[in-house]
Amino acid sequence: MRKYIIAGNWKMNKTGAEAIQLVNALVPKVASLKKVDVVICPPFTALSQASEAIKNSNIGLGAQNMYWEDSGAFTGEVSAAMLLNAGCQYVIIGHSERRQFFGETNQTVNKKTQKALAAGLLPIVCVGETLQERQSGVTEKVINVQVVEGLAGINSEEMKKVIIAYEPVWAIGTGVTATPEQAEAVHAFIRGLIEKLYSKNIAAGLRIQYGGSMKAENTEELLNQPDIDGGLIGGASLKADSFLGIIEIANKLSA
Ligand code: PEP
């Protein structure tokens, strides 16, 4: 059985002090919820404070991006070693906002994913189609290219550490959620693709999160789908109550 993973993508929100406040509200409530992996992904500037605040808790820490080089003249970038040093175990790679606003491509996603794995970080690799792509009927084609190119050169052992987040771009931050059937169809497609590229075992063990306006109200119907193994949560992860609502449902469904 795959353990649900609920990760909060805070995007460009929260100072260090605000991060500590949110973490302090989450830690005691999450302490008894052992059947679900909970991860928070604050901005870089709040990672160290968040790391300190989640010490001795069952909350994991992730970053929202990284660069693939070790060090050097790459102004504004952050390396995998720096993230590990700040206390991260996870890193989000290729979020659609990075693809849309910061020129990320499947090739940069691939370099970052390879580096994250080599450094010992668990990558959450994001894929997803735009509304126009969905309406043109090319969703599977787009996801296929994102997965094949994004994971090029990653071997089976490494693939066991990869988490994929399926995030339809049209559902991110819009309040529009994919229906459970729409989401499940793409999750099943991704799992089938990983089976073809790797093996039945690796596909069966792969955790695929859904992302896109997920909230407590739609969590149960999404997580009840056979190929949905958790959520990557934006807006609803910024407040303790709404994030906890999702985590509690995931924990209950794992019972
Ligand atoms: C995200 O940022 O990955 C996301 C899914 O955002 P939201 O939950 O706000 O749609």
Side-chain angles (χ1 to χ4, degrees):
M1 265 308 287
R2 299 180 293 267
K3 195 174 181 185
Y4 288 131
I5 174 165
I6 303 294
N9 172 18
W10 294 3
K11 312 194 187 196
M12 197 172 72
N13 293 292
K14 302 210 180 281
T15 61
E18 289 165 345
I20 293 171
Q21 204 179 17
L22 176 50
V23 169
N24 286 346
L26 292 174
V27 167
K29 298 272 176 65
V30 172
S32 60
L33 308 178
K34 299 269 162 57
K35 294 178 192 133
V36 50
D37 286 335
V38 178
V39 179
I40 53 166
C41 303
F44 292 139
T45 47
L47 284 174
S48 290
Q49 282 145 301
S51 171
E52 188 60 31
I54 58 173
K55 216 160 60 185
N56 305 321
S57 82
N58 50 343
I59 300 178
L61 188 68
Q64 299 171 20
N65 182 31
M66 56 164 271
Y67 196 55
W68 58 81
E69 294 287 353
D70 289 328
S71 63
F74 304 103
T75 302
E77 295 295 323
V78 167
S79 72
M82 290 169 183
L83 297 184
L84 287 164
N85 186 254
C88 292
Q89 302 91 43
Y90 299 85
V91 59
I92 299 172
I93 292 178
H95 189 280
S96 69
E97 286 151 17
R98 298 224 43 96
R99 294 178 189 254
Q100 191 182 345
F101 303 127
F102 303 101
E104 296 222 8
T105 63
N106 294 333
Q107 285 62 47
T108 63
V109 168
N110 183 243
K111 285 184 179 179
K112 291 179 181 195
T113 305
Q114 298 222 26
K115 185 65 190 192
L117 288 163
L121 286 163
L122 303 172
I124 298 176
V125 179
C126 302
V127 298
E129 81 287 1
T130 62
L131 184 59
Q132 198 202 349
E133 288 163 343
R134 173 161 285 264
Q135 287 171 342
S136 318
V138 294
T139 297
E140 289 190 355
K141 203 166 149 203
V142 168
I143 302 290
N144 182 78
V145 174
Q146 289 176 338
V147 170
V148 169
E149 293 185 359
L151 300 180
I154 283 154
N155 66 36
S156 297
E157 274 317 296
E158 291 170 328
M159 192 57 212
K160 291 179 187 163
K161 303 190 177 99
V162 173
I163 296 152
I164 294 181
Y166 167 58
E167 301 203 298
V169 178
W170 47 272
I172 297 180
T174 58
V176 179
T177 316
T179 65
E181 295 72 26
Q182 283 173 322
E184 169 58 22
V186 180
H187 282 239
F189 173 77
I190 294 170
R191 201 175 303 286
L193 186 54
I194 296 300
E195 183 173 333
K196 265 193 261 159
L197 293 170
Y198 292 91
S199 69
K200 206 173 176 59
N201 260 353
I202 288 179
L206 171 71
R207 292 194 289 182
I208 309 174
Q209 297 174 301
Y210 168 78
S213 299
M214 194 163 160
K215 44 189 181 286
E217 291 76 12
N218 54 34
T219 295
E220 182 152 357
E221 57 181 19
L222 285 162
L223 293 187
N224 269 334
Q225 300 300 312
D227 289 292
I228 301 184
D229 308 309
L232 183 55
I233 324 291
S237 72
L238 295 174
K239 290 206 172 107
D241 283 355
S242 47
F243 195 44
L244 281 166
I246 295 170
I247 297 164
E248 278 162 5
I249 292 167
N251 194 67
K252 180 193 82 181
L253 293 176
S254 307

